[in-house]
Amino acid sequence: MGRGLPGSISGGVKRRGLPGAAKEERIVVLETENAALHLKLAEYQGLAGRSTSEVLQLYSAHGQQQKLQRTSVVTQLHGTVKRLKQDLKRLRSFVLELSKDFQRQSKTYLYQILTAVQGIQLENEAMQMFQIKAFDLEQSLQEVTERYEKEKQKRRALHNSLVELRGNIRVHCRIRPLLPFDAASGHSISEDRQRNFPEKVAYAADDETVLIKCSRPGHASINRTFQFERVYNALESQDIVFADVAPLLTSLLDGYNVCIMAYGQTGSGKTYTMLGPQLEENFAFSIEDESELGIIPRATQEVFRLLSEKPPGSYWVEVSVVEVYNNEIFDLLAKDNYGKVFGVKREVVTTREGKSDVPLLMHETVENAAEFLHLVNKGVQLRVRHPTLVHAHSSRSHLVVTLTINTIISGDNFGTSWEDEQTSQRLNKEVSCTFPQKMRENKSTSSSRASSPTQLEATEKLKKVKTRLQLVDLAGSECVGMSGVTGAALRETSYINRSLSALADVLGAIAEQRSHVPYRNSKLTHLLQDSLGGDAKLLVMLCISPDQKYLTESMQTLGFGTRARQVQRGQLKKKNFPVPSKAK
């Protein structure tokens, strides 16, 4: 095919009529080109054959490689499976061993649990037995406690009967709590008494015993007890204190005079016990919080409650308020020409019957407790006060509040019951005709009452019986070095201490049954002569501070109470007075 190409070309050249030399040259060129093309064709054919072979070789090599790779993967998989089988075998062996160990431990724990359960059951049984025993002991303790309380009440009742038969003075003691001002030290207090933190030395060992326990460096240790009819600890409230006072008020309506006085050092809680909390801006006592009310407002309310059981119109109540200041008596209800309350000096005298009396003393008639307390509050605001290092509002006078019950009864019916309706009607009619007009209008009256001859004839069959309740808030005994007072306050302190000393002397003379009792050594004892000398049931409320700083003053107060408790005045006098059956 290739060989025929030049001929065809040359034939074509001839037909075209090219020149001879040029044709030859053209033929040579073409033949040369043809040869070159044949060479290239052969070369390309060779290359094509070799490429096919190489491709086959490459394909064959790739297949072998894939085969080798598959073989390698299978080999690796076989190795992995073998290893996994070995691991599984080891795992099965481990699980088997673990299961055996778990079974062994489970048996051990189960045994321990069973043992513990049995132990708990035994303990529960023992606990139940103990609970039964504890319950029995609690019941026994409760029964013993109830019997003890009953026996204590019986013993106290017998003791009170003995006290009444002997005419002894009842003595109660109240220990106040530590207060913020106890931590403050005054500049006049000696170094051994100055401390930043108060230390308690006075305790209520029980409801009848005060324990003084103190140990100071350089001083002898003190461990003493004092016995009284009742001892109140720092946590006992005003309600509890009054609960022991209330029975005396029934005695008041049974025909006995009653006197309750608070004795103790300045700042020991006397005024709080007797009146309750005081408002600092005007020194009036607060009656808003009834739980904080003291003995005076509570006693007034109780007296009027008891009086409400009497026939209306058969009695009237009077109040007087005096203070003893610098050994002088001042009437705190006396008024000036403009009707303003103004303290007026009064004198105390002894009547022909041997009784103490204050002529011209103002007695205000009151119809209820609110009126009574209103007048007492007026008098309290006039009371002299002066700040000291011990107490910022220290009372510098003795306050004596007197509630007098005037009862009109028929002379033919002494000892009859107040429940007798006919007697009550007759008494009401007679009293309504004979009571002074000022009484019915609730006006002020003087202690020196007088009746006209006509009234005396109309009331010759009537008897007027007076019973008196005296409530006394004594000024506080003081150590001058402790209180730090000077000038006029020092003079006040001197009078206070002398009057309290006179009170102790009177009680000492009565206790020793001396022929002469020095009532007139002080206006205070002269004023309280009837109460101290045996004409009244007398309760002394000792008030002490638990702080070691006031140890000397507390010991003096407890000593006073101990001496007062030893006083025997004989059987008390009872007014010829019918006993209200409802008051029993």
Side-chain angles (χ1 to χ4, degrees):
M1 181 177 180
R3 284 192 297 270
L5 182 60
S8 64
I9 294 175
S10 67
V13 171
K14 287 180 180 180
R15 284 190 298 270
R16 290 180 183 180
L18 293 175
K23 290 179 181 181
E24 291 294 333
E25 290 178 0
R26 181 64 180 164
I27 291 169
V28 172
V29 171
L30 292 172
E31 288 178 350
T32 303
E33 291 178 353
N34 189 29
L37 290 172
H38 278 288
L39 288 174
K40 288 184 178 180
L41 178 61
E43 184 180 357
Y44 288 151
Q45 288 176 349
L47 288 173
R50 191 178 63 184
S51 298
T52 302
S53 176
E54 288 178 355
V55 168
L56 292 174
Q57 290 178 357
L58 286 172
Y59 180 77
S60 177
H62 180 67
Q64 290 177 356
Q65 185 178 3
Q66 287 182 341
K67 185 177 181 181
L68 289 174
Q69 288 178 350
R70 286 197 296 270
T71 303
S72 175
V73 170
V74 170
T75 303
Q76 290 177 355
L77 288 175
H78 280 295
T80 303
V81 169
K82 186 177 180 180
R83 286 194 301 274
L84 288 174
K85 287 181 178 179
Q86 291 175 351
D87 292 342
L88 181 60
K89 185 177 181 180
R90 287 195 297 269
L91 182 61
R92 285 177 178 175
S93 177
F94 175 75
V95 169
L96 183 61
E97 187 66 27
L98 185 63
S99 177
K100 291 179 180 179
D101 185 59
F102 175 74
Q103 289 177 356
R104 288 194 300 269
Q105 291 185 4
S106 296
K107 290 180 180 179
T108 303
Y109 292 148
L110 181 59
Y111 175 77
Q112 292 178 352
I113 290 172
L114 291 175
T115 304
V117 169
Q118 291 176 354
I120 291 173
Q121 289 177 348
L122 293 175
E123 289 179 356
N124 285 337
E125 291 176 359
M127 181 64 71
Q128 289 177 356
M129 293 179 63
F130 286 139
Q131 287 178 346
I132 293 172
K133 290 182 179 179
F135 181 73
D136 293 339
L137 289 174
E138 286 180 357
Q139 283 188 329
S140 300
L141 178 60
Q142 185 177 358
E143 291 174 359
V144 171
T145 303
E146 290 176 356
R147 288 201 303 269
Y148 170 73
E149 290 297 328
K150 290 179 180 178
E151 292 299 325
K152 187 167 70 171
Q153 290 177 3
K154 289 180 181 178
R155 186 198 63 78
R156 184 173 291 177
L158 292 173
H159 175 72
N160 287 336
S161 298
L162 181 61
V163 166
E164 187 168 332
L165 289 173
R166 291 180 174 178
N168 288 76
I169 298 173
R170 293 172 174 82
V171 181
H172 295 188
C173 181
R174 188 178 196 185
I175 305 173
R176 72 158 171 80
L178 288 171
L179 299 174
F181 67 78
D182 288 327
S185 299
H187 63 275
S188 300
I189 303 175
S190 58
E191 293 182 0
D192 65 328
R193 303 178 99 176
Q194 291 184 9
R195 288 181 312 282
N196 291 329
F197 299 99
E199 180 181 349
K200 288 183 65 174
V201 296
Y203 307 87
D206 54 46
D207 59 0
E208 294 181 352
T209 307
V210 176
L211 170 63
I212 301 294
K213 190 172 185 179
C214 178
S215 178
R216 294 178 293 175
H219 296 78
S221 298
I222 299 176
N223 191 354
R224 290 189 58 185
T225 59
F226 298 83
Q227 299 290 327
F228 301 107
E229 277 67 41
R230 183 71 165 86
V231 174
Y232 307 95
N233 62 44
L235 300 178
E236 292 186 280
S237 64
Q238 300 276 61
D239 292 328
I240 296 175
V241 173
F242 182 71
D244 294 321
V245 175
L248 289 174
L249 304 178
T250 303
S251 298
L252 177 70
L253 272 71
D254 287 347
Y256 291 97
N257 289 329
V258 176
C259 178
I260 302 170
M261 67 172 62
Y263 180 98
Q265 175 208 359
T266 297
S268 59
K270 300 182 304 301
T271 300
Y272 174 79
T273 298
M274 294 302 294
L275 288 170
Q278 290 184 289
L279 304 177
E280 294 185 1
E281 60 270 16
N282 58 6
F283 303 111
F285 65 90
S286 172
I287 57 176
E288 295 179 358
D289 187 357
E290 292 188 358
S291 65
E292 295 291 321
L293 290 178
I295 291 176
I296 292 178
R298 288 174 184 267
T300 305
Q301 293 171 353
E302 178 65 11
V303 167
F304 277 96
R305 187 191 70 79
L306 294 173
L307 286 173
S308 67
E309 300 173 356
K310 281 187 163 188
S314 63
Y315 65 89
W316 74 91
V317 179
E318 296 173 331
V319 58
S320 66
V321 183
V322 302
E323 71 171 347
V324 181
Y325 173 67
N326 287 351
N327 204 34
E328 296 290 348
I329 296 176
F330 293 90
D331 185 352
L332 298 183
L333 296 185
K335 298 178 182 178
D336 58 15
N337 295 331
Y338 299 98
K340 184 178 179 181
V341 176
F342 183 80
V344 176
K345 185 187 294 187
R346 304 294 189 194
E347 292 295 332
V348 57
V349 299
T350 302
T351 65
R352 285 181 294 182
E353 294 79 14
K355 305 294 183 181
S356 62
D357 187 27
V358 181
L360 304 179
L361 180 64
M362 288 300 300
H363 292 263
E364 293 279 357
T365 303
V366 293
E367 294 185 348
N368 51 55
E371 293 181 1
F372 183 97
L373 295 177
H374 176 70
L375 293 173
V376 172
N377 218 349
K378 282 186 176 181
V380 168
Q381 293 181 54
L382 293 176
R383 192 177 183 187
V384 179
R385 286 176 174 80
H386 188 86
T388 70
L389 294 178
V390 176
H391 194 268
H393 306 293
S394 174
S395 301
R396 314 306 291 170
S397 67
H398 309 291
L399 179 70
V400 181
V401 177
T402 304
L403 181 150
T404 304
I405 301 175
N406 300 273
T407 305
I408 300 296
I409 59 176
S410 172
D412 298 331
N413 288 279
F414 278 99
T416 59
S417 171
W418 286 106
E419 299 300 321
D420 189 333
E421 184 177 356
Q422 293 181 351
T423 302
S424 298
Q425 292 176 354
R426 186 177 68 255
L427 291 178
N428 292 340
K429 183 177 180 180
E430 292 174 338
V431 168
S432 63
C433 295
T434 57
F435 272 18
Q437 183 67 24
K438 291 183 179 180
M439 295 297 180
R440 293 197 299 269
E441 296 176 357
N442 191 27
K443 299 294 183 178
S444 302
T445 59
S446 171
S447 61
S448 54
R449 299 180 181 277
S451 300
S452 65
T454 304
Q455 289 176 325
L456 290 176
E457 290 180 6
T459 60
E460 61 182 0
K461 291 185 178 182
L462 297 179
K463 300 291 184 181
K464 184 173 73 171
V465 178
K466 285 187 177 183
T467 52
R468 184 173 56 195
L469 171 64
Q470 283 188 310
L471 302 162
V472 186
D473 180 21
L474 297 173
S477 59
E478 291 183 349
C479 172
V480 175
M482 173 68 72
S483 61
V485 294
T486 57
L490 179 60
R491 182 169 176 266
E492 293 169 350
T493 299
S494 175
Y495 276 113
I496 291 171
N497 290 341
R498 276 190 285 176
S499 62
L500 294 175
S501 177
L503 178 61
D505 291 341
V506 166
L507 295 178
I510 298 173
E512 297 173 7
Q513 297 182 353
R514 300 179 200 164
S515 58
H516 173 68
V517 180
Y519 291 112
R520 298 191 185 187
N521 285 357
S522 167
K523 295 289 180 67
L524 174 67
T525 53
H526 197 181
L527 179 66
L528 300 177
Q529 176 179 343
D530 297 343
S531 297
L532 298 174
D535 191 31
K537 292 186 176 182
L538 177 59
L539 169 63
V540 176
M541 182 68 70
L542 305 177
C543 296
I544 64 173
S545 166
D547 190 2
Q548 178 179 312
K549 182 166 57 178
Y550 307 116
L551 175 61
T552 302
E553 290 76 11
S554 296
M555 293 291 287
Q556 186 273 331
T557 299
L558 295 171
F560 173 87
T562 300
R563 290 191 299 272
R565 193 166 180 251
Q566 296 170 352
V567 172
Q568 295 184 13
R569 302 173 296 170
Q571 189 169 5
L572 299 178
K573 299 177 182 179
K574 178 180 179 182
K575 300 297 177 74
N576 193 2
F577 192 74
V579 180
S581 59
K582 289 185 179 180
K584 292 182 180 180

